[in-house]
Amino acid sequence: MLKGLRRLNRYENRIFKIAKDGGKFVRLSQIGFSRKTKDNFRFPIYCLEIGAKSAIKKNPVGIVAGVHGLETIGVRVALDFLEFLVSDKHKDFFPEVFKGNVGIVCLPMINPGGIAKTSRSNPAGIDLMRNSGIEAVNAPFFFGGHKISPKLPYYRGNHLEPESRIVNRFVNKYFFSNKTAIMPLIDIHSGFGTVDHVWWPFAFSHEACADENIYKKMALHLKKNNLHKEYEYGPQSETYTTHGDLWDKFYLEYRNLIEIRKSKSRFLPWTLEIGTWSDIPDYPKKLSHRRGIFNPAKENKQAVIKNYRSFLRDFVRLSCVKPSYWLK
Ligand SMILES: [Zn+2]
């Protein structure tokens, strides 16, 4: 069997176990299927709800991972966080979830075909983070997204892929129907660089997004009391611009809704880009395998993964602060 398939299977079992261990606090559903592979096989895509149903409705926060099939550290960080959160031993880790103050909705593995095939793109060779159709201003050639060939990385495709449509359905169901809450979402990636970036929109333009002030305030809030200050916060375009970022699309769509509804709710997508180069001097051997550059060395993977638990908890907690605080 393919190594990637075994890995995918392990992650799926962990998703099922989270649903089991969480009891009445967790609901698992299959939200759709991946793009078909050449042999006509489609992989199921799962969605987890964690917390009381009323909290999911009133105060949802999103966690998304596994958009790029090589960046498996993101999937592991998301699963580790949820496992820790629902386990009986750690009920004091995040009591707000069990008191019904906040609900988490999670797509832990949006590109299972990419994970199984050990590829960045989906089974049709399309890079889901270049797939939204949004045109960037001065995106770097090739890396910023292109339409040359699906055989090359960063291929944009010509329409929304099944995986992208699932993210669309997910944000519509849980976030776009909400007219009152401040709703952050974090999409976990990994890759180049030695520091962790926490980005807000836009990826397509250097212009500031309409919620730049709230984003800045949230970044300060996360860094308060000397916590989470090792992360670099800012708009993604400060690092690089790309075509077709899905979060640009959904962020702009929600902004339109706010204008029409005159509501004070906000949908605030973020991207966590885990810098996986910092351990290369200590573990140079990791570069000898394909996923090495996108993931920590196996020797210190577990320690690295645990580091994100408190960051993700405090990120979800942002939505427990009164909306008026963020808006003033
Ligand atoms: Zn990525």
Side-chain angles (χ1 to χ4, degrees):
M1 211 197 321
L2 286 171
K3 215 174 167 191
L5 266 178
R6 275 206 302 272
R7 188 176 301 119
L8 179 68
N9 199 259
R10 269 201 314 273
Y11 298 156
E12 277 182 347
N13 286 335
R14 288 175 67 180
I15 293 171
F16 302 149
K17 187 156 186 307
I18 289 167
K20 188 167 158 261
D21 289 353
K24 64 177 178 152
F25 284 105
V26 178
R27 288 157 306 277
L28 170 68
S29 62
Q30 191 199 320
I31 190 168
F33 284 101
S34 74
R35 176 76 111 108
K36 276 184 188 163
T37 62
K38 276 196 190 116
D39 336 311
N40 258 345
F41 188 79
R42 298 187 303 170
F43 296 94
I45 295 173
Y46 298 100
C47 175
L48 285 161
E49 291 181 5
I50 297 103
K53 276 187 184 164
S54 57
I56 302 273
K57 214 166 170 201
K58 264 193 283 179
N59 215 17
V61 175
I63 298 177
V64 173
V67 169
H68 291 134
L70 292 172
E71 301 167 13
T72 46
I73 184 73
V75 176
R76 296 183 55 155
V77 163
L79 294 178
D80 168 82
F81 170 68
L82 297 179
E83 282 164 353
F84 193 82
L85 168 63
V86 302
S87 93
D88 273 339
K89 275 184 277 176
H90 308 116
K91 282 283 177 324
D92 53 344
F93 169 65
F94 199 170
E96 291 93 326
V97 173
F98 303 101
K99 285 190 211 146
N101 299 342
V102 62
I104 300 169
V105 286
C106 177
L107 294 175
M109 216 159 37
I110 192 66
N111 181 13
I115 293 172
K117 293 181 65 193
T118 332
S119 73
R120 173 181 170 93
S121 55
N122 80 347
I126 290 150
D127 186 331
L128 301 172
M129 241 348 118
R130 305 286 186 275
N131 183 228
S132 80
I134 289 191
E135 293 289 323
V137 189
N138 293 330
F141 174 70
F142 191 63
F143 169 75
H146 64 82
K147 295 201 173 185
I148 307 166
S149 160
K151 295 209 167 83
L152 300 169
Y154 317 115
Y155 179 68
R156 298 173 63 183
N158 292 308
H159 43 74
L160 275 190
E161 286 298 295
E163 293 87 346
S164 307
R165 291 205 301 272
I166 286 171
V167 183
N168 190 12
R169 209 173 334 128
F170 170 80
V171 295
N172 270 277
K173 176 175 174 186
Y174 292 109
F175 300 97
F176 285 30
S177 56
N178 189 309
K179 296 173 190 165
T180 52
I182 303 291
M183 301 170 285
L185 171 150
I186 196 150
D187 176 20
I188 311 171
H189 289 250
S190 62
F192 301 98
T194 52
V195 289
D196 291 351
H197 289 272
V198 187
W199 289 323
W200 61 74
F202 293 118
F204 82 100
S205 156
H206 290 286
E207 243 173 73
C209 72
D211 294 306
E212 175 113 342
N213 277 338
I214 304 182
Y215 275 113
K216 281 184 175 160
K217 228 168 168 175
M218 287 185 163
L220 279 177
H221 196 83
L222 283 166
K223 284 194 281 189
K224 227 167 53 181
N225 305 324
N226 260 345
L227 288 168
H228 316 307
K229 61 174 180 11
E230 67 277 29
Y231 298 83
E232 294 252 356
Y233 302 82
Q236 178 173 340
S237 58
E238 259 175 23
T239 313
Y240 51 76
T241 55
T242 55
H243 297 295
D245 185 284
L246 286 173
W247 304 115
D248 280 355
K249 173 182 161 68
F250 301 133
Y251 172 77
L252 288 171
E253 284 177 6
Y254 196 80
R255 281 301 311 182
N256 272 337
L257 278 181
I258 299 173
E259 311 264 305
I260 297 162
R261 290 171 178 165
K262 309 252 175 280
S263 65
K264 293 202 164 141
S265 57
R266 291 290 185 278
F267 172 60
L268 303 169
W270 298 70
T271 299
L272 166 60
E273 176 96 349
I274 298 175
T276 47
W277 284 11
S278 49
D279 63 359
I280 291 174
D282 293 332
Y283 306 99
K285 263 215 262 167
K286 78 173 194 166
L287 296 178
S288 63
H289 63 93
R290 189 152 180 212
R291 289 158 43 257
I293 208 155
F294 303 106
N295 294 285
K298 110 173 157 275
E299 294 83 346
N300 69 344
K301 204 176 271 173
Q302 210 41 46
V304 171
I305 288 167
K306 281 186 196 161
N307 277 337
Y308 294 97
R309 285 176 190 161
S310 66
F311 175 78
L312 286 177
R313 177 195 58 196
D314 297 342
F315 178 85
V316 175
R317 263 185 185 150
L318 292 172
S319 77
C320 299
V321 179
K322 269 197 185 140
S324 56
Y325 172 79
W326 301 120
L327 295 167
K328 77 176 173 238

